[in-house]
């Protein structure tokens, strides 16, 4: 899940970004309306958090431009302007929710999660064989046994489980789980996959995380793997 925070006040932007990253989201920051529109045009965001008071344009203009695109991400407006008129105007112009500053971080996180759920018809609970992941409560269990994951590990696992059976490259994983300005090597993915395997696969006879040679990684239940390689003899028939 990738979020864009549009906020010119560095202190607030950093605070939001740190909190959201701690909750397992990848976060980019745009300090101006122009930067925000550049970001929205060049990357796919699951949600935009938009401050209305920006140095170069009014947040409402940014909202309007995002909404002019046919399919835009949901937008949560942050504003010091708490008047009913502003709120109504924001929602009328296509914002999905409106939060008045100052607000508690937990309040914002609850709104963010609600909007992401709404924008995403995807199930809140993901299952691969006996591994289950609850996206809302952020809990993971295998064979009924709870497993503790660090936020990035959770992010990777959620992304893989949402795409089960589909090989994912290291770049795709990095782009979904880390921030845009992450300039490290994609080798970091290998390190995290090793941690994940240690937690969800090593103690179990059936391994769910597969290495896909030349591409990256994939998660898949044992039944699906068997379907793709039915009988070894079949490979020799033409
Ligand atoms: Ca501002």
């Amino acid at each position: 899940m990738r979020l864009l925070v549009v906020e010119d006040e560095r202190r607030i932007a950093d605070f939001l970004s740190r909190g959201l990253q701690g909750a397992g989201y990848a976060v980019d920051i745009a300090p101006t309306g122009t930067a925000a529109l550049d970001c929205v045009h060049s990357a796919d965001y699951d949600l935009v958090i938009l401050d209305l008071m920006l140095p170069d344009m009014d947040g409402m203009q940014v909202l309007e431009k995002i909404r002019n695109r046919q399919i835009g991400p949901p937008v949560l407006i942050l504003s010091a302007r708490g008047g009913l008129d502003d709120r109504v105007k924001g929602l009328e112009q296509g914002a999905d929710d409106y939060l008045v500053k100052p607000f508690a971080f937990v309040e914002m996180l609850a709104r963010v999660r609600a909007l992401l759920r709404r924008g995403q018809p995807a199930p809140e609970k993901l299952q691969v064989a006996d591994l289950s992941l609850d996206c809302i409560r952020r809990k993971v269990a295998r064979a009924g046994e709870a497993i503790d994951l660090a936020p990035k590990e959770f992010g990777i696992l959620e992304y893989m489980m949402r795409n089960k059976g589909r090989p994912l490259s290291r770049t795709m994983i990095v782009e979904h789980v880390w921030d845009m300005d992450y300039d490290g090597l994609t080798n970091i993915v290998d390190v995290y996959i090793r941690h994940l395997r240690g937690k969800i696969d090593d103690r179990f006879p059936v391994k769910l995380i597969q290495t896909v040679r030349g591409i990256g990684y994939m998660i898949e239940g044992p039944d699906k793997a068997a379907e793709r390689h039915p009988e070894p003899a079949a490979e020799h028939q033409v």
Side-chain angles (χ1 to χ4, degrees), residues 113 124-127 130-142 144-150 154 157-158 161 200:
R113 285 186 171 148
E124 296 167 6
K125 288 187 181 162
L126 305 171
Q127 189 85 35
D130 56 354
L131 175 70
S132 64
L133 181 146
D134 183 327
C135 306
I136 308 304
R137 289 172 191 79
R138 306 191 70 78
K139 287 191 188 327
V140 174
R142 180 143 189 205
E145 186 189 322
I147 295 170
D148 267 335
L149 297 183
F154 187 93
L157 187 62
E158 180 180 4
M161 289 177 77
I200 69 162

Side-chain angles (χ1 to χ4, degrees), residues 36 63 65 81 87 105 109 112 132 138 158 171 174 179 192 230:
L63 174 63
K65 290 204 162 77
R81 308 196 296 226
R87 246 181 288 186
F105 180 77
L109 190 58
V112 163
S132 64
R138 306 191 70 78
E158 180 180 4
T171 308
V174 162
D179 311 307
Y192 274 87

Side-chain angles (χ1 to χ4, degrees), residues 227-238:
E227 274 170 31
R228 276 189 306 118
H229 310 287
E231 311 134 60
E235 287 176 16
H236 300 291
Q237 296 168 0
V238 181

Side-chain angles (χ1 to χ4, degrees), residues 10-235:
R10 190 65 209 220
R11 190 178 53 83
I12 298 178
D14 285 347
F15 167 73
L16 293 181
S17 156
R18 266 199 310 275
L20 291 166
Q21 284 169 359
Y25 301 110
V27 182
D28 296 325
I29 297 175
T32 62
T34 314
L37 293 172
D38 283 350
C39 287
V40 169
H41 289 150
S42 61
D44 265 339
Y45 289 97
D46 299 291
L47 177 75
V48 176
I49 297 172
L50 175 66
D51 178 41
L52 285 189
M53 308 274 205
L54 297 168
D56 59 338
M57 62 175 91
D58 190 286
M60 288 292 185
Q61 283 174 270
V62 179
L63 174 63
E64 204 182 313
K65 290 204 162 77
I66 293 176
R67 280 292 161 262
N68 282 345
R69 291 159 55 82
Q70 290 301 316
I71 307 165
V75 175
L76 168 63
I77 286 183
L78 300 182
S79 178
R81 308 196 296 226
L84 187 61
D85 281 357
D86 277 322
R87 246 181 288 186
V88 169
K89 195 173 153 213
L91 296 173
E92 269 178 4
Q93 292 208 359
D96 298 273
D97 204 353
Y98 197 108
L99 200 53
V100 177
K101 289 178 180 175
F103 52 83
F105 180 77
V106 287
E107 162 82 30
M108 195 204 61
L109 190 58
R111 305 280 189 106
V112 163
R113 285 186 171 148
L115 287 175
L116 290 172
R117 270 205 300 281
R118 206 165 82 192
Q120 187 132 353
E124 296 167 6
K125 288 187 181 162
L126 305 171
Q127 189 85 35
V128 175
D130 56 354
L131 175 70
S132 64
L133 181 146
D134 183 327
C135 306
I136 308 304
R137 289 172 191 79
R138 306 191 70 78
K139 287 191 188 327
V140 174
R142 180 143 189 205
E145 186 189 322
I147 295 170
D148 267 335
L149 297 183
K152 287 278 188 276
E153 294 168 353
F154 187 93
I156 293 174
L157 187 62
E158 180 180 4
Y159 179 50
M160 292 179 83
M161 289 177 77
R162 283 197 190 282
N163 290 282
K164 74 174 160 186
R166 177 181 170 211
L168 302 169
S169 71
R170 291 171 179 80
T171 308
M172 287 162 80
I173 295 173
V174 162
E175 282 179 0
H176 265 81
V177 180
W178 274 267
D179 311 307
M180 193 182 256
D181 57 5
Y182 176 77
D183 54 3
L185 299 169
T186 50
N187 292 351
I188 187 89
V189 172
D190 301 326
V191 175
Y192 274 87
I193 292 284
R194 207 152 53 230
H195 293 165
L196 264 178
R197 280 181 160 146
K199 292 182 179 182
I200 69 162
D201 266 345
D202 286 359
R203 287 173 298 121
F204 299 88
V206 175
K207 313 299 178 199
L208 301 177
I209 297 178
Q210 324 286 333
T211 301
V212 185
R213 210 177 271 263
I215 300 179
Y217 299 98
M218 169 172 79
I219 198 159
E220 196 173 51
D223 44 337
K224 285 284 158 26
E227 274 170 31
R228 276 189 306 118
H229 310 287
E231 311 134 60
E235 287 176 16

